[in-house]
Each structure stands twice: as structure tokens, then as C-alpha cells.
Amino acid sequence: MTAPTLDESRGTDTSTLGSLTSAQLARLCGVAGLSAVDAKTYAALLAEALGPVAERPLHLPPPSRTCLSDDHTPVEYSLSFLPDGACALRVLVEPGCAAPDLARNGRVGLDVIRDMAYRWGFSTDRLDELEDLFLPPAPQGALALWCALELRPGGIPMLKVYLNPAANGAEHCAETVREALDRLGHGQAFASLPPADGYPFLALDLGDWESPRVKVYLRHDRLSVAEAAGLSRMDAGPGPAEIERFLRTASGLGESVFGDDLLGAVETGPDGEERLTGRPVLTCHAFTKTSVGRPTGFTLHVPVRGYAAHDGESLSRATDVLRAYGMDPAPLPRALAAVTSRPLEDGVGLVAYLALAHQRGRPPRVTTYISSEAYDVRPPATPRPVTAATATG
Ligand code: TRP
């Protein structure tokens, strides 16, 4: 554990989970071009979503073993880039992280969502329709409810709710997802999904969205590059070559001079097929009312932290990807500096995921997920020594 330091140079109070994350978020708002007034509003909103746990001193251990982030901080940021130079800031939070069990964790989460919806006049109908399915009396699995806020200018965010398909037992994940899609009027959606090794999340857009989505996240263990290339099911989505290019850049495949996997996270089979054997890649398939059966959105989530030695490497891959899409990478290093003052080479995981998102009728987006590291920094990975044999052979 790295002890949280008093960050006097920035004049922020880093004594509690709420004060640290609010300060991180306020600085990120500045990077994303939001006004000082919006930054203040959103920093307060994050503390409010955390509830009493915001007051928890940071020298205490994390309030729970939440899997929202690697060090169990119940908060994660993301910065989504568009080709026109704009970037959108989001924050993911687990409002019920301090609850004694998953059932109460979910109740707290629901209350927070309903309070926000009431305040801004959003309907929660679609969530209400799924409540019994995802928040049964004795839910199982790794999470109950997470909430993401898309921080638009003006101080009224858009909401996303993340639910757990394993709530009725891991063996019923697929059924739960199918039933949820059915209830929301997407009876043919499940059949259009590609093969998967798991269903980690189902997410709903709530609020002022042009076309609110229901999103199904899939987990792909030991995914090969060739398999990844064929995972999009949307019409006019990214083609195999685009997916492959993104995956290779984000995961660092083929980067090593020796064609060697120095981190032990990539495997090349006898057939020459390259597989990502470290942290699994996820895909997300979005369905909107306008679609018949097929998804209108596809996102590839690459857990770059499982394939990089340190965050300097992750930043350089993100920069390459952003440039390839004609996006200005300049906000990203500023965003990382808004969250931490540690050298990027001193840890791995500050950049959690790099994602390529396609949505029908919109230009593609590249999203970078940024950890708070309120509790811990994972030490950099030590590449396996390059032996004379690998160097020459
Ligand atoms: N920490 C979890 C994971 O790594 C969940 C999660 C947090 C996540 N942010 C994410 C998953 C962004 C995908 C994309 O899987």
C-alpha cells in the first residue's frame, strides 16, 4: 500500500475519499473544458453520490473490496475523445460501496439514482422494469449497481446505470440478459450477440439521451486477434481491419523488437494465432429503439494495464491510437496529471482501459479510463529478461 500523501503543492485536502476524488474530478473538469461552476457542481455531486463514505479518512482501508477498480477505490474517471477536438468527461461510482451486503449495496444505489432522476426530471421506468431481475432479495456476484455520470456543460449530467447479470447466479447470466433485453423491447437482440465467456454488466442510459441505449458487456478470455476482428455485429460498424489495428496498438502486440511477449500476457500458438491471455478484453453491444435486432453500437475495451509495463507505455499507446483517429491527444497527459503527481513509470493501472466506440450515425470515439488510485498504485511490471537466445533467435 502506498500511503496517500498530503498534496500541498496543489492546495487540495487529500484527507478523505470524498475530498481527494472531488479534487481530482474538479481538475479533470478543467482539462475537459468545463467551466469552474460546472466543476464545482460535479465535484459536489460525486461526493453526494458517495454518501457518508465520502467522509472516510483515506488512511483507513477502502470501504469495500469493490471490483470497480483494481485498488478498490469506488470511483473511476473516463475521458472520451471525438475527432472534432472535443472530449467528454465521465465518472463511474459505486454509491453502495459501504453497505454490509450486496442487497443493501443495490438499495443504496437505486436510491441515489432515483434521487438524481427526480431532481432532473428523468424517468426511471426502464430501470424499474428490471429491478426484480437485477436486484433480487439475495443478489450474487461481484457488484450490485454502479452509476456513471456524463458531465455535460450546464451542471446536469446524463446517467448510466450498470447492473450485474450474475445477480441470480453466474449460471443464469445469459438468461438474465436475454430476459432484460426482452422486457425492454429487444426480443431479437440476444441472438445477435457474438460468442462470449461471460456477461459482466448490463447498462442502461437514463435521462436526457437522444436515443437511450441498453448495453450488454461481454467478456472474451484468451481472445485471438482474428476472433476479435469479427466481434462487431452492428451494421456499418468497424470492419475487421479497424478492430485489429486498434487491438494491436492498444495491447502492444508486435511492438517488441524481438517479437517477444515480455510480460507473459500474449501467446502465439503453433498456428501463428496471437492470443491475449492476460486480463480479458471486453466488448459492449448497444441496442436502441431504432434498431431491429442488430446492435447500433459496438465498443472494444482493451485492458491496457494488463499488457503494459507501466503507465508511460499506456499513455504512448493511447497517443498513437488518438493520432490514428485524428484526435488531439494533448488533454490525456493533462488528465493523468490532474489525478496523480506520481511519475507514470512508477506504476501501472492509472490508465485502466483503452476503448474504441462506434455508434450508428456518429463518428467513432476513443475512450481512456483513468483510475483514481486513492488507495494503491500497482508497481510497474518487470519485463522478462531478454536472453541471448531470444535476442538472436
Ligand atoms: N474494474 C472492472 C474491470 O476492469 C470494471 C470496470 C471499470 C470496467 N471500468 C471499466 C470495465 C471500463 C470495462 C471498461 O473490468
Side-chain angles (χ1 to χ4, degrees):
M1 273 275 169
T2 313
T5 49
L6 229 167
D7 195 352
E8 276 160 351
S9 57
R10 310 197 209 216
T12 37
D13 166 15
T14 59
S15 60
T16 65
L17 178 59
S19 62
L20 173 71
T21 54
S22 293
Q24 289 175 326
L25 188 66
R27 287 191 293 262
L28 285 167
C29 285
V31 173
L34 292 161
S35 72
V37 174
D38 286 345
K40 216 172 152 195
T41 305
Y42 287 138
L45 193 58
L46 175 59
E48 193 187 319
L50 282 169
V53 91
E55 305 301 324
R56 186 179 173 91
L58 267 186
H59 63 77
L60 294 179
S64 73
R65 305 282 298 169
T66 178
C67 63
L68 187 146
S69 66
D70 292 356
D71 73 336
H72 313 299
T73 306
V75 173
E76 184 186 79
Y77 312 103
S78 58
L79 202 54
S80 194
F81 292 76
L82 287 157
D84 64 0
C87 57
L89 177 64
R90 300 93 61 91
V91 59
L92 176 67
V93 55
E94 180 171 332
C97 62
D101 55 55
L102 266 190
R104 278 175 280 189
N105 180 319
R107 300 316 311 173
V108 172
L110 261 190
D111 286 348
V112 165
I113 296 281
R114 291 203 169 115
D115 280 354
M116 291 188 196
Y118 179 77
R119 181 179 328 169
W120 299 307
F122 300 161
S123 161
T124 58
D125 287 357
R126 295 189 321 136
L127 177 59
D128 301 343
E129 276 183 67
L130 303 184
E131 186 179 336
D132 63 303
L133 203 52
F134 289 94
L135 299 160
Q140 300 177 44
L143 75 140
L145 187 151
W146 295 342
C147 162
L149 307 168
E150 286 243 4
L151 307 179
R152 293 182 295 183
I156 300 178
M158 299 197 286
L159 294 185
K160 292 180 278 191
V161 185
Y162 293 81
L163 301 165
N164 176 20
N168 306 297
E171 69 282 15
H172 298 299
C173 272
E175 255 170 83
T176 301
V177 168
R178 185 198 302 269
E179 167 74 14
L181 289 167
D182 229 32
R183 288 192 194 179
L184 297 173
H186 298 289
Q188 300 163 58
F190 189 86
S192 77
L193 294 170
D197 298 294
Y199 300 86
F201 320 105
L202 182 134
L204 279 184
D205 290 338
L206 294 184
D208 206 355
W209 298 80
E210 218 173 277
S211 34
R213 302 158 298 177
V214 51
K215 298 188 290 179
V216 180
Y217 288 77
L218 306 181
R219 199 188 76 229
H220 307 279
D221 297 333
R222 299 179 50 82
L223 184 68
S224 77
V225 175
E227 287 161 356
L231 286 174
S232 171
R233 293 293 184 272
M234 67 181 284
D235 295 318
E242 182 180 355
I243 296 177
E244 173 167 348
R245 200 175 324 120
F246 182 87
L247 183 65
R248 283 189 181 278
T249 311
S251 67
L253 256 176
E255 202 172 76
S256 150
V257 211
F258 305 110
D260 226 22
D261 162 33
L262 298 178
L263 295 172
V266 190
E267 218 175 84
T268 308
D271 49 357
E273 186 123 40
E274 296 156 295
R275 295 188 175 275
L276 301 185
T277 55
R279 238 173 229 288
V281 167
L282 305 182
T283 55
C284 173
H285 306 264
F287 299 90
T288 46
K289 270 286 174 241
T290 52
S291 62
V292 190
R294 290 167 84 77
T296 49
F298 171 81
T299 306
L300 182 73
H301 291 278
V302 181
V304 57
R305 69 198 188 281
Y307 299 86
H310 55 72
D311 285 298
E313 226 172 89
S314 301
L315 172 60
S316 114
R317 292 193 200 153
T319 305
D320 289 348
V321 163
L322 289 165
R323 289 222 173 96
Y325 279 87
M327 297 162 182
D328 176 15
L332 184 56
R334 292 172 55 214
L336 301 180
V339 170
T340 183
S341 47
R342 74 160 170 87
L344 295 180
E345 290 69 27
D346 285 6
V348 63
L350 179 63
V351 184
Y353 278 92
L354 296 179
L356 171 65
H358 277 254
Q359 184 73 33
R360 188 159 84 187
R362 310 251 174 107
R365 285 180 293 117
V366 170
T367 304
T368 57
Y369 292 81
I370 304 174
S371 307
S372 163
E373 295 189 338
Y375 292 106
D376 204 5
V377 175
R378 172 167 303 153
T382 339
R384 298 187 300 198
V386 179
T387 61
T390 45
T392 54

PDB file of all heavy atoms in Angstrom, residues 278-303:
ATOM      1  N   GLY A 278      -3.688 -12.379 -20.966  1.00  0.00           N
ATOM      2  CA  GLY A 278      -3.729 -11.644 -19.695  1.00  0.00           C
ATOM      3  C   GLY A 278      -5.169 -11.250 -19.394  1.00  0.00           C
ATOM      4  O   GLY A 278      -6.108 -11.973 -19.716  1.00  0.00           O
ATOM      5  N   ARG A 279      -5.358 -10.110 -18.792  1.00  0.00           N
ATOM      6  CA  ARG A 279      -6.690  -9.615 -18.488  1.00  0.00           C
ATOM      7  C   ARG A 279      -7.598  -9.655 -19.713  1.00  0.00           C
ATOM      8  O   ARG A 279      -7.191  -9.245 -20.799  1.00  0.00           O
ATOM      9  CB  ARG A 279      -6.557  -8.155 -18.095  1.00  0.00           C
ATOM     10  CG  ARG A 279      -7.073  -7.814 -16.764  1.00  0.00           C
ATOM     11  CD  ARG A 279      -6.692  -6.384 -16.478  1.00  0.00           C
ATOM     12  NE  ARG A 279      -6.084  -6.281 -15.174  1.00  0.00           N
ATOM     13  CZ  ARG A 279      -6.759  -6.395 -14.041  1.00  0.00           C
ATOM     14  NH1 ARG A 279      -8.051  -6.594 -14.053  1.00  0.00           N
ATOM     15  NH2 ARG A 279      -6.142  -6.310 -12.893  1.00  0.00           N
ATOM     16  N   PRO A 280      -8.824 -10.136 -19.576  1.00  0.00           N
ATOM     17  CA  PRO A 280      -9.663 -10.313 -20.771  1.00  0.00           C
ATOM     18  C   PRO A 280     -10.137  -9.001 -21.398  1.00  0.00           C
ATOM     19  O   PRO A 280     -10.398  -8.009 -20.713  1.00  0.00           O
ATOM     20  CB  PRO A 280     -10.867 -11.100 -20.236  1.00  0.00           C
ATOM     21  CG  PRO A 280     -10.868 -10.913 -18.767  1.00  0.00           C
ATOM     22  CD  PRO A 280      -9.446 -10.655 -18.361  1.00  0.00           C
ATOM     23  N   VAL A 281     -10.231  -9.047 -22.715  1.00  0.00           N
ATOM     24  CA  VAL A 281     -10.835  -7.971 -23.493  1.00  0.00           C
ATOM     25  C   VAL A 281     -12.353  -8.042 -23.289  1.00  0.00           C
ATOM     26  O   VAL A 281     -12.920  -9.125 -23.151  1.00  0.00           O
ATOM     27  CB  VAL A 281     -10.483  -8.174 -24.986  1.00  0.00           C
ATOM     28  CG1 VAL A 281     -11.326  -7.303 -25.902  1.00  0.00           C
ATOM     29  CG2 VAL A 281      -8.994  -7.940 -25.209  1.00  0.00           C
ATOM     30  N   LEU A 282     -13.021  -6.896 -23.257  1.00  0.00           N
ATOM     31  CA  LEU A 282     -14.482  -6.873 -23.194  1.00  0.00           C
ATOM     32  C   LEU A 282     -15.010  -6.210 -24.457  1.00  0.00           C
ATOM     33  O   LEU A 282     -14.335  -5.368 -25.062  1.00  0.00           O
ATOM     34  CB  LEU A 282     -14.974  -6.063 -21.983  1.00  0.00           C
ATOM     35  CG  LEU A 282     -14.462  -6.443 -20.593  1.00  0.00           C
ATOM     36  CD1 LEU A 282     -15.119  -5.548 -19.526  1.00  0.00           C
ATOM     37  CD2 LEU A 282     -14.746  -7.898 -20.269  1.00  0.00           C
ATOM     38  N   THR A 283     -16.219  -6.602 -24.868  1.00  0.00           N
ATOM     39  CA  THR A 283     -16.908  -5.837 -25.897  1.00  0.00           C
ATOM     40  C   THR A 283     -18.246  -5.385 -25.331  1.00  0.00           C
ATOM     41  O   THR A 283     -18.757  -5.968 -24.373  1.00  0.00           O
ATOM     42  CB  THR A 283     -17.168  -6.638 -27.189  1.00  0.00           C
ATOM     43  OG1 THR A 283     -17.891  -7.838 -26.865  1.00  0.00           O
ATOM     44  CG2 THR A 283     -15.886  -6.987 -27.906  1.00  0.00           C
ATOM     45  N   CYS A 284     -18.775  -4.327 -25.912  1.00  0.00           N
ATOM     46  CA  CYS A 284     -20.068  -3.820 -25.472  1.00  0.00           C
ATOM     47  C   CYS A 284     -20.935  -3.635 -26.710  1.00  0.00           C
ATOM     48  O   CYS A 284     -20.480  -3.081 -27.713  1.00  0.00           O
ATOM     49  CB  CYS A 284     -19.849  -2.495 -24.752  1.00  0.00           C
ATOM     50  SG  CYS A 284     -21.376  -1.663 -24.336  1.00  0.00           S
ATOM     51  N   HIS A 285     -22.157  -4.139 -26.640  1.00  0.00           N
ATOM     52  CA  HIS A 285     -23.081  -4.098 -27.767  1.00  0.00           C
ATOM     53  C   HIS A 285     -24.297  -3.301 -27.333  1.00  0.00           C
ATOM     54  O   HIS A 285     -24.948  -3.651 -26.341  1.00  0.00           O
ATOM     55  CB  HIS A 285     -23.431  -5.530 -28.181  1.00  0.00           C
ATOM     56  CG  HIS A 285     -22.194  -6.343 -28.441  1.00  0.00           C
ATOM     57  ND1 HIS A 285     -21.675  -6.525 -29.702  1.00  0.00           N
ATOM     58  CD2 HIS A 285     -21.327  -6.949 -27.588  1.00  0.00           C
ATOM     59  CE1 HIS A 285     -20.550  -7.228 -29.610  1.00  0.00           C
ATOM     60  NE2 HIS A 285     -20.322  -7.504 -28.339  1.00  0.00           N
ATOM     61  N   ALA A 286     -24.568  -2.209 -28.063  1.00  0.00           N
ATOM     62  CA  ALA A 286     -25.632  -1.285 -27.644  1.00  0.00           C
ATOM     63  C   ALA A 286     -26.861  -1.456 -28.513  1.00  0.00           C
ATOM     64  O   ALA A 286     -26.752  -1.608 -29.741  1.00  0.00           O
ATOM     65  CB  ALA A 286     -25.130   0.149 -27.739  1.00  0.00           C
ATOM     66  N   PHE A 287     -28.016  -1.425 -27.879  1.00  0.00           N
ATOM     67  CA  PHE A 287     -29.288  -1.534 -28.595  1.00  0.00           C
ATOM     68  C   PHE A 287     -30.133  -0.300 -28.311  1.00  0.00           C
ATOM     69  O   PHE A 287     -30.208   0.155 -27.177  1.00  0.00           O
ATOM     70  CB  PHE A 287     -30.026  -2.800 -28.161  1.00  0.00           C
ATOM     71  CG  PHE A 287     -29.259  -4.056 -28.456  1.00  0.00           C
ATOM     72  CD1 PHE A 287     -28.374  -4.589 -27.529  1.00  0.00           C
ATOM     73  CD2 PHE A 287     -29.370  -4.681 -29.699  1.00  0.00           C
ATOM     74  CE1 PHE A 287     -27.629  -5.733 -27.808  1.00  0.00           C
ATOM     75  CE2 PHE A 287     -28.631  -5.821 -29.992  1.00  0.00           C
ATOM     76  CZ  PHE A 287     -27.761  -6.352 -29.039  1.00  0.00           C
ATOM     77  N   THR A 288     -30.729   0.230 -29.385  1.00  0.00           N
ATOM     78  CA  THR A 288     -31.610   1.384 -29.233  1.00  0.00           C
ATOM     79  C   THR A 288     -32.950   1.059 -29.881  1.00  0.00           C
ATOM     80  O   THR A 288     -33.049   0.117 -30.670  1.00  0.00           O
ATOM     81  CB  THR A 288     -31.008   2.632 -29.920  1.00  0.00           C
ATOM     82  OG1 THR A 288     -30.546   2.254 -31.220  1.00  0.00           O
ATOM     83  CG2 THR A 288     -29.840   3.184 -29.138  1.00  0.00           C
ATOM     84  N   LYS A 289     -33.949   1.848 -29.569  1.00  0.00           N
ATOM     85  CA  LYS A 289     -35.296   1.591 -30.066  1.00  0.00           C
ATOM     86  C   LYS A 289     -35.369   1.524 -31.587  1.00  0.00           C
ATOM     87  O   LYS A 289     -36.189   0.841 -32.167  1.00  0.00           O
ATOM     88  CB  LYS A 289     -36.252   2.690 -29.568  1.00  0.00           C
ATOM     89  CG  LYS A 289     -36.895   2.336 -28.238  1.00  0.00           C
ATOM     90  CD  LYS A 289     -37.990   1.262 -28.405  1.00  0.00           C
ATOM     91  CE  LYS A 289     -38.541   0.803 -27.074  1.00  0.00           C
ATOM     92  NZ  LYS A 289     -38.357  -0.633 -26.796  1.00  0.00           N
ATOM     93  N   THR A 290     -34.451   2.272 -32.197  1.00  0.00           N
ATOM     94  CA  THR A 290     -34.478   2.386 -33.644  1.00  0.00           C
ATOM     95  C   THR A 290     -33.992   1.120 -34.341  1.00  0.00           C
ATOM     96  O   THR A 290     -34.116   0.983 -35.542  1.00  0.00           O
ATOM     97  CB  THR A 290     -33.562   3.538 -34.080  1.00  0.00           C
ATOM     98  OG1 THR A 290     -32.288   3.326 -33.456  1.00  0.00           O
ATOM     99  CG2 THR A 290     -34.105   4.871 -33.660  1.00  0.00           C
ATOM    100  N   SER A 291     -33.424   0.204 -33.565  1.00  0.00           N
ATOM    101  CA  SER A 291     -32.823  -0.962 -34.206  1.00  0.00           C
ATOM    102  C   SER A 291     -33.779  -2.139 -34.193  1.00  0.00           C
ATOM    103  O   SER A 291     -34.567  -2.288 -33.293  1.00  0.00           O
ATOM    104  CB  SER A 291     -31.551  -1.354 -33.443  1.00  0.00           C
ATOM    105  OG  SER A 291     -31.869  -1.717 -32.114  1.00  0.00           O
ATOM    106  N   VAL A 292     -33.678  -2.966 -35.213  1.00  0.00           N
ATOM    107  CA  VAL A 292     -34.447  -4.206 -35.186  1.00  0.00           C
ATOM    108  C   VAL A 292     -33.456  -5.347 -35.046  1.00  0.00           C
ATOM    109  O   VAL A 292     -32.818  -5.748 -36.007  1.00  0.00           O
ATOM    110  CB  VAL A 292     -35.272  -4.362 -36.475  1.00  0.00           C
ATOM    111  CG1 VAL A 292     -36.256  -5.534 -36.338  1.00  0.00           C
ATOM    112  CG2 VAL A 292     -36.014  -3.085 -36.791  1.00  0.00           C
ATOM    113  N   GLY A 293     -33.311  -5.847 -33.843  1.00  0.00           N
ATOM    114  CA  GLY A 293     -32.439  -6.986 -33.633  1.00  0.00           C
ATOM    115  C   GLY A 293     -30.981  -6.651 -33.505  1.00  0.00           C
ATOM    116  O   GLY A 293     -30.368  -6.908 -32.494  1.00  0.00           O
ATOM    117  N   ARG A 294     -30.417  -6.056 -34.529  1.00  0.00           N
ATOM    118  CA  ARG A 294     -28.966  -5.852 -34.505  1.00  0.00           C
ATOM    119  C   ARG A 294     -28.582  -4.653 -33.641  1.00  0.00           C
ATOM    120  O   ARG A 294     -29.321  -3.675 -33.553  1.00  0.00           O
ATOM    121  CB  ARG A 294     -28.448  -5.647 -35.921  1.00  0.00           C
ATOM    122  CG  ARG A 294     -28.514  -6.910 -36.749  1.00  0.00           C
ATOM    123  CD  ARG A 294     -28.289  -6.616 -38.205  1.00  0.00           C
ATOM    124  NE  ARG A 294     -26.880  -6.552 -38.551  1.00  0.00           N
ATOM    125  CZ  ARG A 294     -26.119  -7.637 -38.707  1.00  0.00           C
ATOM    126  NH1 ARG A 294     -26.614  -8.820 -38.538  1.00  0.00           N
ATOM    127  NH2 ARG A 294     -24.857  -7.522 -39.041  1.00  0.00           N
ATOM    128  N   PRO A 295     -27.377  -4.735 -33.037  1.00  0.00           N
ATOM    129  CA  PRO A 295     -26.927  -3.604 -32.220  1.00  0.00           C
ATOM    130  C   PRO A 295     -26.637  -2.368 -33.071  1.00  0.00           C
ATOM    131  O   PRO A 295     -26.256  -2.483 -34.233  1.00  0.00           O
ATOM    132  CB  PRO A 295     -25.648  -4.120 -31.555  1.00  0.00           C
ATOM    133  CG  PRO A 295     -25.244  -5.347 -32.297  1.00  0.00           C
ATOM    134  CD  PRO A 295     -26.459  -5.885 -32.972  1.00  0.00           C
ATOM    135  N   THR A 296     -26.820  -1.195 -32.458  1.00  0.00           N
ATOM    136  CA  THR A 296     -26.493   0.066 -33.135  1.00  0.00           C
ATOM    137  C   THR A 296     -25.188   0.643 -32.604  1.00  0.00           C
ATOM    138  O   THR A 296     -24.780   1.722 -33.007  1.00  0.00           O
ATOM    139  CB  THR A 296     -27.615   1.100 -32.944  1.00  0.00           C
ATOM    140  OG1 THR A 296     -27.932   1.136 -31.549  1.00  0.00           O
ATOM    141  CG2 THR A 296     -28.856   0.719 -33.724  1.00  0.00           C
ATOM    142  N   GLY A 297     -24.578  -0.096 -31.685  1.00  0.00           N
ATOM    143  CA  GLY A 297     -23.292   0.369 -31.163  1.00  0.00           C
ATOM    144  C   GLY A 297     -22.391  -0.801 -30.838  1.00  0.00           C
ATOM    145  O   GLY A 297     -22.868  -1.882 -30.489  1.00  0.00           O
ATOM    146  N   PHE A 298     -21.083  -0.574 -31.006  1.00  0.00           N
ATOM    147  CA  PHE A 298     -20.085  -1.598 -30.682  1.00  0.00           C
ATOM    148  C   PHE A 298     -18.879  -0.919 -30.053  1.00  0.00           C
ATOM    149  O   PHE A 298     -18.374   0.075 -30.583  1.00  0.00           O
ATOM    150  CB  PHE A 298     -19.641  -2.334 -31.949  1.00  0.00           C
ATOM    151  CG  PHE A 298     -18.458  -3.256 -31.727  1.00  0.00           C
ATOM    152  CD1 PHE A 298     -18.650  -4.517 -31.184  1.00  0.00           C
ATOM    153  CD2 PHE A 298     -17.159  -2.847 -32.037  1.00  0.00           C
ATOM    154  CE1 PHE A 298     -17.558  -5.366 -30.953  1.00  0.00           C
ATOM    155  CE2 PHE A 298     -16.065  -3.685 -31.813  1.00  0.00           C
ATOM    156  CZ  PHE A 298     -16.270  -4.950 -31.266  1.00  0.00           C
ATOM    157  N   THR A 299     -18.434  -1.435 -28.924  1.00  0.00           N
ATOM    158  CA  THR A 299     -17.232  -0.908 -28.279  1.00  0.00           C
ATOM    159  C   THR A 299     -16.288  -2.046 -27.942  1.00  0.00           C
ATOM    160  O   THR A 299     -16.718  -3.078 -27.431  1.00  0.00           O
ATOM    161  CB  THR A 299     -17.585  -0.135 -26.990  1.00  0.00           C
ATOM    162  OG1 THR A 299     -18.557   0.854 -27.289  1.00  0.00           O
ATOM    163  CG2 THR A 299     -16.353   0.544 -26.398  1.00  0.00           C
ATOM    164  N   LEU A 300     -15.017  -1.838 -28.245  1.00  0.00           N
ATOM    165  CA  LEU A 300     -13.968  -2.789 -27.880  1.00  0.00           C
ATOM    166  C   LEU A 300     -13.187  -2.185 -26.712  1.00  0.00           C
ATOM    167  O   LEU A 300     -12.637  -1.087 -26.834  1.00  0.00           O
ATOM    168  CB  LEU A 300     -13.039  -3.002 -29.076  1.00  0.00           C
ATOM    169  CG  LEU A 300     -11.912  -4.001 -28.871  1.00  0.00           C
ATOM    170  CD1 LEU A 300     -12.452  -5.435 -28.863  1.00  0.00           C
ATOM    171  CD2 LEU A 300     -10.845  -3.850 -29.955  1.00  0.00           C
ATOM    172  N   HIS A 301     -13.183  -2.889 -25.573  1.00  0.00           N
ATOM    173  CA  HIS A 301     -12.476  -2.407 -24.376  1.00  0.00           C
ATOM    174  C   HIS A 301     -11.202  -3.220 -24.173  1.00  0.00           C
ATOM    175  O   HIS A 301     -11.279  -4.415 -23.880  1.00  0.00           O
ATOM    176  CB  HIS A 301     -13.348  -2.580 -23.134  1.00  0.00           C
ATOM    177  CG  HIS A 301     -14.536  -1.667 -23.095  1.00  0.00           C
ATOM    178  ND1 HIS A 301     -14.446  -0.362 -22.663  1.00  0.00           N
ATOM    179  CD2 HIS A 301     -15.832  -1.869 -23.407  1.00  0.00           C
ATOM    180  CE1 HIS A 301     -15.648   0.195 -22.721  1.00  0.00           C
ATOM    181  NE2 HIS A 301     -16.507  -0.696 -23.171  1.00  0.00           N
ATOM    182  N   VAL A 302     -10.063  -2.590 -24.324  1.00  0.00           N
ATOM    183  CA  VAL A 302      -8.789  -3.287 -24.134  1.00  0.00           C
ATOM    184  C   VAL A 302      -8.186  -2.870 -22.784  1.00  0.00           C
ATOM    185  O   VAL A 302      -7.893  -1.692 -22.573  1.00  0.00           O
ATOM    186  CB  VAL A 302      -7.800  -2.963 -25.279  1.00  0.00           C
ATOM    187  CG1 VAL A 302      -6.491  -3.719 -25.078  1.00  0.00           C
ATOM    188  CG2 VAL A 302      -8.425  -3.307 -26.629  1.00  0.00           C
ATOM    189  N   PRO A 303      -8.015  -3.852 -21.872  1.00  0.00           N
ATOM    190  CA  PRO A 303      -7.462  -3.526 -20.548  1.00  0.00           C
ATOM    191  C   PRO A 303      -5.960  -3.309 -20.642  1.00  0.00           C
ATOM    192  O   PRO A 303      -5.172  -4.165 -20.266  1.00  0.00           O
ATOM    193  CB  PRO A 303      -7.808  -4.759 -19.708  1.00  0.00           C
ATOM    194  CG  PRO A 303      -7.886  -5.882 -20.694  1.00  0.00           C
ATOM    195  CD  PRO A 303      -8.311  -5.288 -22.018  1.00  0.00           C
TER     196      PRO A 303
END
